[in-house]
Amino acid sequence: MKIARVRWACRRGMLELDVLFQPFVEAQYESLSNQDKAIFVRLLECEDPELFAWFMGHEECPDPELAKMVIQVRGRPAP
């Protein structure tokens, strides 16, 4: 997916998600591997309530690849 489309997909209905996704895309998206870029795009396809719960720590993401990306976007080293 082209970077412009990724930036557009990062615009969410929740400010809490916007402030996580937009800086991540600007600072780190281009340096991700193609596989991680695909995982990030898959993460963006999830619904806002799910994303909010995962990023705020209210729920654990059931998909290990997406869970790892959540950690990475939050700015913590992935396990």
Side-chain angles (χ1 to χ4, degrees), residues 1-9:
M1 182 181 278
K2 294 187 178 195
I3 188 70
R5 292 189 72 192
V6 172
R7 284 185 183 117
W8 180 258

Side-chain angles (χ1 to χ4, degrees), residues 13-69:
M14 294 183 170
L15 178 61
E16 295 88 348
L17 297 176
D18 288 346
V19 299
L20 289 167
F21 287 142
Q22 291 175 352
F24 178 81
V25 166
E26 296 306 321
Q28 296 183 20
Y29 180 79
E30 290 293 340
S31 66
L32 295 176
S33 68
N34 287 336
Q35 180 181 1
D36 283 344
K37 285 178 182 178
I39 293 168
F40 182 73
V41 168
R42 201 160 50 91
L43 183 67
L44 293 176
E45 293 169 354
C46 297
E47 298 293 326
D48 284 358
E50 279 181 317
L51 292 170
F52 182 80
W54 298 338
F55 279 98
M56 298 304 131
H58 301 297
E59 293 178 17
E60 201 168 306
C61 177
D63 181 305
E65 288 182 330
L66 294 182
K68 183 178 173 184
M69 186 57 65

